[in-house]
């Protein structure tokens, strides 16, 4: 407690400010440590499932006395799990590198980036018979072409995973002429999410329906990666959704666009 206004009081106030700063830093380091611990636990859990499955099916193949159908199924499952681990490692690598990688900005056509993302996700779209509507203005965004295409690909992949068989995904963009900003939307008519989930879905490894997401091959890294990409472009990402009413993700690129 500080009393008076003499030199001792000034010293006490300085001491209190120092103590408060230290306490704040300790709390920050504690949160960081808990976040890292949670990240490592989640990563270990995500790797444990496919590795255990691969080991089990490999043992089954070693037995030899299984039918050709079982052998084909086992090999296919091993290949799927290895592919999942590869995708996870690629996204984890991207997450760790984005804040430090050299961003090579140029004028990027959102139409072309969306078309390339659609080609990359064509197999997933066809597998679930998902309709894709493209409604993009001829607009260029100033940013890193590789990262913007990765942003669209991850948003599209996420929308496909959230969609039911025969659903529809829409990618659209509009130029706001007054400000020079561009708004990009990726929307689906899938299962959606509750409002309390929206703030959490950009955290690495966070998944609303863990069982369904794992079945779809998701590890909860796509939207975390999208958030990082938006950060390095000073873009704003907002998520609008309701349960069973789909979701729309809105990306705003500020003062960085020009018409093609």
């Amino acid at each position: 407690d500080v009393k008076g206004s003499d030199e001792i009081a000034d010293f006490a106030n300085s001491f209190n400010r120092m103590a408060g700063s230290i306490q704040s830093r300790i709390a920050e380091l504690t949160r960081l440590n808990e976040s890292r611990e949670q990240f490592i636990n989640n990563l270990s859990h995500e790797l444990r499932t496919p590795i255990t499955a691969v080991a089990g099916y490999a043992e089954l193949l070693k037995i030899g006395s299984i039918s050709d159908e079982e052998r084909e199924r086992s090999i296919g499952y091993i290949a799927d799990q290895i592919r999942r681990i590869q995708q996870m490692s690629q996204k984890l690598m991207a997450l760790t590198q984005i804040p430090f990688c050299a961003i090579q900005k140029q004028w990027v056509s959102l139409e072309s980036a969306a078309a390339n993302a659609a080609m990359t996700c064509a197999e997933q779209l066809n597998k679930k018979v998902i309709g894709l509507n493209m409604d993009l203005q001829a607009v260029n965004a100033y940013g890193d072409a590789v990262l913007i295409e990765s942003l669209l690909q991850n948003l599209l992949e996420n929308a496909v995973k959230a969609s039911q068989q025969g659903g529809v995904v829409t990618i659209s963009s509009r130029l706001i002429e007054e400000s020079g900003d561009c708004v990009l939307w990726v929307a689906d008519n899938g299962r959606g999410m509750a409002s309390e989930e929206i703030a959490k879905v950009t955290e690495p490894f966070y998944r609303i329906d863990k069982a369904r997401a794992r079945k779809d091959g998701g590890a909860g890294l796509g939207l975390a990666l999208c958030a990082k990409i938006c950060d390095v472009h000073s873009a704003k990402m907002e998520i609008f959704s309701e349960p069973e009413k789909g979701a729309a993700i809105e990306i705003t690129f500020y003062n960085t666009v020009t018409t093609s």
Side-chain angles (χ1 to χ4, degrees):
D1 293 332
V2 180
K3 296 179 181 179
S5 58
D6 57 8
E7 293 175 352
I8 299 299
D10 289 342
F11 173 80
N13 284 322
S14 296
F15 187 90
N16 286 340
R17 284 195 295 272
M18 180 188 70
S21 177
I22 291 172
Q23 190 171 15
S24 176
R25 182 59 177 159
I26 289 172
E28 182 184 343
L29 290 171
T30 301
R31 287 193 299 270
L32 180 61
N33 186 59
E34 289 173 351
S35 176
R36 286 176 174 171
E37 186 175 338
Q38 183 66 40
F39 183 88
I40 291 169
N41 289 339
N42 288 338
L43 176 59
S44 300
H45 179 75
E46 288 299 326
L47 288 173
R48 189 184 305 118
T49 301
I51 288 173
T52 301
V54 167
Y57 277 96
E59 286 295 325
L60 182 62
L61 288 171
K62 282 174 63 178
I63 295 173
S65 57
I66 58 175
S67 67
D68 291 341
E69 184 180 349
E70 288 176 316
R71 183 174 290 103
E72 285 287 328
R73 186 165 58 248
S74 298
I75 292 171
Y77 194 84
I78 289 173
D80 287 342
Q81 294 304 309
I82 290 173
R83 194 178 303 114
R84 182 180 164 206
I85 293 173
Q86 287 175 329
Q87 291 172 346
M88 190 190 309
S89 64
Q90 288 167 358
K91 289 190 176 181
L92 280 171
M93 187 69 71
L95 271 173
T96 57
Q97 288 180 341
I98 280 178
F100 311 104
C101 67
I103 306 299
Q104 299 179 349
K105 289 189 175 182
Q106 57 185 301
W107 292 112
V108 181
S109 166
L110 294 181
E111 286 181 298
S112 298
N116 290 340
M119 288 179 63
T120 303
C121 299
E123 184 179 346
Q124 296 159 274
L125 288 161
N126 293 333
K127 188 176 180 180
K128 294 183 75 171
V129 199
I130 303 292
L132 179 60
N133 294 331
M134 307 271 277
D135 180 23
L136 291 99
Q137 284 187 340
V139 172
N140 290 338
Y142 192 62
D144 187 286
V146 174
L147 291 182
I148 289 178
E149 189 171 316
S150 177
L151 170 69
L152 275 158
Q153 181 182 326
N154 279 285
L155 290 176
L156 182 52
E157 285 179 353
N158 194 71
V160 171
K161 289 171 184 174
S163 297
Q164 305 295 337
Q165 196 85 6
V168 176
V169 174
T170 301
I171 303 177
S172 59
S173 68
R174 290 290 181 273
L175 174 65
I176 303 173
E177 295 183 2
E178 296 81 7
S179 61
D181 302 337
C182 177
V183 182
L184 172 72
W185 293 275
V186 178
D188 64 72
N189 61 350
R191 57 184 177 266
M193 68 188 88
S195 57
E196 61 268 21
E197 304 284 353
I198 292 176
K200 303 176 184 177
V201 292
T202 55
E203 297 174 8
F205 295 112
Y206 184 84
R207 293 177 303 192
I208 298 169
D209 187 335
K210 293 178 172 56
R212 182 179 294 176
R214 187 172 287 113
K215 182 181 177 182
D216 290 336
L221 294 171
L223 287 178
L225 184 55
C226 291
K228 288 272 189 180
I229 294 172
C230 287
D231 285 345
V232 298
H233 285 86
S234 299
K236 181 181 180 182
M237 184 170 83
E238 291 187 273
I239 303 172
F240 305 93
S241 183
E242 292 182 40
E244 307 307 324
K245 292 186 178 181
I249 298 182
E250 179 182 288
I251 311 290
T252 303
F253 294 94
Y254 294 105
N255 299 311
T256 58
V257 297
T258 182
T259 54
S260 299

